[in-house]
Amino acid sequence: MPDEQVASSSRLLALGTLLLGLLLAWVVGWGVVVLNRSAGHLDDPADPAAGAVPASVALRGAWVATGEGTVFPSGQPAELVALPDEWSRSRPGYQGSVWYRFHFETPTQASSENLLAAYIDRACSRVEVRLNGQLLYRAGRVSEPVSRQCYQSHAVPLPQFLLRSGDNQLDVKVTGHPLEQVSARQRAGGLGAVRIGSWTELRARQDEQIFWSVTVSQIIGGILTVLGIFALGMAWVRRLGYLVYFGLLTLTWAVLTGRLWLSGLPLSNLAVEISLASLFAPMTLFGVKFLLGYAGHGLHSPGEPRGVRIVQRVLVAQVLLAPLSLVLGSSHLFLLSRIWYVVFALEVVAAIVYFLWHAGRARRAEFWLMSGTLGVVAALVGIELFFQHGLVQVWGWNVTHFVMPILFAAVSFRLIQVYARALQTAEGARAQLERRVQEISGEIERNFTQIAELRVEQIAEKERKRIAADLHDDLGAKLLTIVHTSDNDRISTLAREALEEMRLSVRGLTGRPMRLPDALADWRAEVVMRLGQAGIEVEWRHPDDVMDEPLSARTYVQTTRIIREAVSNIIKHSQASHVVITTEVGAHDFQIAVQDNGKGIPLELDGRLDRGHGMASMKHRAKQLNGQCLVESGPGFGTVIRMTLPLEIDSVASALTHGASGAPSGVGTVSIPKHPRAD
């Protein structure tokens, strides 16, 4: 139940935000309508209280007659019409030229310095102006294809010598096309507001209108082109399909802006109108595909829903059907165009609703920006449809052509922001990946080095064992034979000593660690035996609880040789009768002190204790074990040898681990022997 409540709350929230966006779009749409109407009916009324002639006067009505002649057809009946005059309302279906005659009086302020002018707000699609029967102005080509100037104003100077002091006749000839032969109501024949005033003011008004209609449209077209190319570039770099459609959409709209200022296309009216109406089919395709793609659908993925595939086929089919139907039904071009516009609008609105629903349900960060933007798009599409169906009259600036590029820019900004964040995330991920690769590479190198060292150690260990086995089996057997068969006590003793030294060397080669209590027991037994044979009393002192720590074979062998050298010096040189040997075991090292009551070291060796009696060799062996060997002696005071040697617990434990788990086939595991003196 809690999950269902959460899902229901999410749907209500998405529906509420969608309705809020549509309300905002409705408000913006009516604001656009008001702005268009205000711009279309802008006027500068005269001040009747001042009694002065205004700077410009709007001519609200004109006598109208039809005809293709070069002058106003005076012989034909004329009617009085109000401006602006839309042919679709005043003379439906008419194609050709319409004459408009205006009457005005020359203002008293008119002079050669204050030149008068006539200003035509809009004349679709070609205009010709005569003053009192004299041709003053002709815009565009007369013959087919006629110039298309529906979005441009005209300012015509009125020479002073052609003006009459009383009534003047201003004849305006407009050549245009009926509503049925155009694809948009804005390009149907008609005449907008006409004003008479000073040349300076009206010229400024025309410059302003040209700026908004021509210059701004050219700038917008250039900006949209850049945005489109940029979107296509991002799509190519990021491999994002929806950016392709957005880039094509902006480029197509940039092409459409050309109709606002390109007036001299060498094409017939029918070809231009069909081309302009047909462009909305691919625009709809690009817009719908962009929205579907941005929502995560419609990008030709293998798991696309069947409905999405049908929508894609319909969009592609109407790109071909729209121009074909317009060509075949060219006599009813405006009707068919309106039908297609409704279809396109419904497709766009459906895509907008689907995108907003999907974005709201997914709680995407760009929901509010896109809801406002797409809501305004929907409002502008609705206003355009109302105008094309004659439900509203908009004779001012076409705000749609200026607002839509702003909306494109907003969407582009959002897409660029998303791309920048994705690029930043990708850069961070790439940097993190590089760091991880470096760490893994370093770890692999360290592991490889350790494996190589372990392999070398294993090979060396295997070779040491082989040498030790050869010594034990060959040389040991021969020495043992000499000990048991020799009749000479001297030779037998030397052979026995050599055999013991060989056994010690073999133990060092095999590298098998042993327990510290066993090592102390071995040293005690050997020292007591040798000193006892020499008639020297021995006192061995050691702690009651010796830690059962492992001792490496190297440490055992080197310590044994240091003790043997010390005992040999006592027997050969000290003339001692009593020897005290003290052992102490610490957490990381052990100490052995050998003290005798002999004669000490002679004076001739004072200061050079390491030069005789094997002292240098004892110190060197202790140094190799990262320990120390100190000698204290004086004539008549005996000699004290103090050794401090490390236990090397960590290295022995590592050797035991490697020996147990990493030994290659054929190499036995390392163990601590209980009886190190066993052969």
Side-chain angles (χ1 to χ4, degrees):
M1 289 300 295
D3 295 337
E4 294 179 359
Q5 292 177 358
V6 171
S8 178
S9 300
S10 301
R11 287 193 294 268
L12 290 176
L13 179 61
L15 181 60
T17 51
L18 178 61
L19 293 177
L20 183 60
L22 294 177
L23 178 61
L24 177 63
W26 182 81
V27 173
V28 173
W30 278 110
V32 172
V33 172
V34 171
L35 290 175
N36 272 284
R37 288 180 175 176
S38 299
H41 295 88
L42 187 63
D43 195 7
D44 296 326
D47 186 1
V53 178
S56 63
V57 179
L59 305 179
R60 297 295 188 181
W63 292 97
V64 178
T66 59
E68 300 294 338
T70 58
V71 295
F72 187 87
S74 302
Q76 293 186 8
E79 58 178 342
L80 186 62
V81 298
L83 298 183
D85 178 29
E86 293 185 62
W87 291 6
S88 60
R89 299 179 184 273
S90 60
R91 50 189 58 79
Y94 179 77
Q95 179 177 5
S97 300
V98 177
W99 286 88
Y100 296 85
R101 171 162 287 183
F102 301 91
H103 294 272
F104 70 95
E105 293 185 357
T106 304
T108 56
Q109 295 88 348
S111 63
S112 58
E113 291 80 12
N114 189 13
L115 183 64
L116 289 180
Y119 177 78
I120 303 174
D121 180 66
R122 174 182 178 274
C124 190
S125 62
R126 174 185 172 276
V127 65
E128 180 178 311
V129 179
R130 291 178 177 269
L131 176 61
N132 295 324
Q134 297 295 323
L135 178 63
L136 295 181
Y137 179 78
R138 178 181 292 162
R141 293 187 299 267
V142 179
S143 58
E144 286 289 343
V146 178
S147 298
R148 305 165 59 83
Q149 299 178 340
C150 299
Y151 300 98
Q152 299 180 17
S153 62
H154 308 271
V156 183
L158 304 179
Q160 182 67 28
F161 67 89
L162 292 179
L163 292 174
R164 300 171 183 172
S165 58
D167 180 66
N168 292 276
Q169 294 178 353
L170 182 68
D171 297 334
V172 178
K173 180 183 179 182
V174 178
T175 303
H177 302 279
L179 183 62
E180 293 76 12
Q181 295 184 8
V182 294
S183 59
R185 190 177 293 272
Q186 295 94 328
R187 294 187 293 275
L191 180 66
V194 179
R195 308 179 70 89
I196 299 294
S198 66
W199 166 256
T200 304
E201 176 196 353
L202 297 181
R203 180 63 179 176
R205 184 185 290 265
Q206 184 192 29
D207 291 340
E208 181 181 2
Q209 194 275 338
I210 291 176
F211 171 77
W212 288 107
S213 297
V214 178
T215 307
V216 172
S217 63
Q218 292 173 343
I219 295 174
I220 289 174
I223 293 175
L224 291 179
T225 302
V226 173
L227 287 177
I229 296 175
F230 182 74
L232 293 177
M234 285 199 305
W236 183 78
V237 173
R238 299 289 299 172
R239 298 297 189 269
L240 296 175
Y242 64 86
L243 287 179
V244 175
Y245 296 112
F246 181 77
L248 295 176
L249 176 62
T250 54
L251 290 176
T252 308
W253 191 271
V255 173
L256 278 177
T257 58
R259 72 187 187 280
L260 301 178
W261 51 275
L262 291 175
S263 60
L265 294 176
L267 298 174
S268 64
N269 175 74
L270 184 62
V272 173
E273 292 296 334
I274 292 177
S275 300
L276 292 176
S278 299
L279 279 177
F280 285 95
M283 280 187 61
T284 304
L285 168 66
F286 300 149
V288 173
K289 291 283 286 183
F290 164 68
L291 292 175
L292 292 179
Y294 201 33
H297 300 290
L299 297 179
H300 302 288
S301 58
E304 265 184 5
R306 184 170 179 269
V308 175
R309 294 197 298 269
I310 294 176
V311 170
Q312 292 177 356
R313 294 169 184 171
V314 170
L315 292 174
V316 174
Q318 73 183 11
V319 173
L320 302 176
L321 292 177
L324 181 61
S325 63
L326 294 176
V327 171
L328 297 178
S330 58
S331 58
H332 302 283
L333 181 60
F334 182 70
L335 176 61
L336 292 175
S337 298
R338 284 193 300 173
I339 294 175
W340 278 113
Y341 293 157
V342 172
V343 173
F344 298 153
L346 291 177
E347 293 174 353
V348 171
V349 171
I352 290 174
V353 172
Y354 175 79
F355 174 81
L356 294 180
W357 172 76
H358 184 274
R361 187 181 64 173
R363 299 181 182 273
R364 295 176 62 168
E366 66 270 14
F367 173 76
W368 290 106
L369 173 64
M370 296 299 292
S371 62
T373 302
L374 297 177
V376 174
V377 170
L380 293 176
V381 170
I383 293 171
E384 188 68 25
L385 286 179
F386 288 160
F387 174 71
Q388 297 301 330
H389 287 77
L391 301 178
V392 295
Q393 296 184 13
V394 182
W395 275 84
W397 294 331
N398 197 332
V399 182
T400 304
H401 303 302
F402 301 102
V403 177
M404 288 295 289
I406 297 176
L407 301 180
F408 284 141
V411 176
S412 299
F413 174 77
R414 176 58 187 171
L415 294 177
I416 293 173
Q417 187 180 20
V418 172
Y419 173 76
R421 290 181 180 177
L423 183 62
Q424 184 178 5
T425 304
E427 288 293 330
R430 184 183 63 82
Q432 184 178 2
L433 181 61
E434 289 181 353
R435 290 194 300 269
R436 183 59 181 161
V437 169
Q438 291 178 356
E439 293 175 359
I440 294 176
S441 300
E443 185 176 355
I444 291 175
E445 291 178 359
R446 290 191 298 271
N447 293 339
F448 180 78
T449 302
Q450 293 176 359
I451 292 173
E453 293 176 353
L454 179 61
R455 183 62 180 168
V456 171
E457 182 64 25
Q458 290 174 348
I459 295 175
E461 180 72 15
K462 185 177 180 180
E463 187 66 19
R464 284 195 297 267
K465 289 182 178 181
R466 186 190 64 80
I467 295 174
D470 292 344
L471 289 175
H472 183 274
D473 296 340
D474 188 9
L475 183 60
K478 293 180 179 178
L479 290 174
L480 187 61
T481 301
I482 295 174
V483 169
H484 292 290
T485 59
S486 176
D487 296 333
N488 191 325
D489 294 338
R490 172 78 176 165
I491 295 175
S492 179
T493 301
L494 291 176
R496 185 177 291 106
E497 292 178 355
L499 182 60
E500 290 295 328
E501 189 66 27
M502 186 208 69
R503 288 174 176 173
L504 184 63
S505 298
V506 168
R507 175 164 293 173
L509 287 175
T510 56
R512 290 183 298 173
M514 65 185 306
R515 298 166 56 248
L516 181 59
D518 294 341
L520 292 175
D522 283 353
W523 294 332
R524 178 180 178 180
E526 182 177 346
V527 169
V528 170
M529 182 189 68
R530 291 185 64 191
L531 291 177
Q533 291 176 352
I536 302 173
E537 183 181 356
V538 181
E539 182 181 354
W540 185 281
R541 302 173 182 175
H542 63 82
D544 295 333
D545 51 345
V546 178
M547 293 185 299
D548 193 6
E549 297 291 347
L551 189 69
S552 66
R554 178 169 173 265
T555 302
Y556 173 77
V557 171
Q558 297 293 353
T559 305
T560 301
R561 286 173 175 167
I562 293 174
I563 293 174
R564 284 181 179 177
E565 183 65 29
V567 171
S568 298
N569 288 337
I570 292 173
I571 295 173
K572 294 178 181 179
H573 307 291
S574 69
Q575 300 177 5
S577 61
H578 185 77
V579 176
V580 179
I581 300 177
T582 305
T583 62
E584 295 181 1
V585 180
H588 302 286
D589 56 15
F590 65 95
Q591 299 84 31
I592 299 177
V594 181
Q595 182 178 4
D596 64 68
N597 62 350
K599 64 179 181 179
I601 298 176
L603 289 176
E604 59 268 17
L605 296 178
D606 186 21
R608 297 180 287 116
L609 296 180
D610 57 344
R611 294 189 180 181
H613 307 292
M615 297 297 178
S617 125
M618 290 190 294
K619 290 184 177 182
H620 180 68
R621 294 182 188 277
K623 187 176 181 181
Q624 286 182 335
L625 298 176
N626 294 324
Q628 62 180 356
C629 179
L630 302 178
V631 179
E632 302 173 4
S633 180
F637 295 97
T639 304
V640 180
I641 299 175
R642 303 181 187 275
M643 293 175 289
T644 302
L645 302 173
L647 287 174
E648 300 179 345
I649 298 175
D650 295 337
S651 62
V652 174
S654 176
L656 290 173
T657 303
H658 290 160
S661 61
S665 128
V667 178
T669 59
V670 179
S671 61
I672 300 177
K674 293 293 184 179
H675 306 286
R677 298 183 63 85
D679 292 335

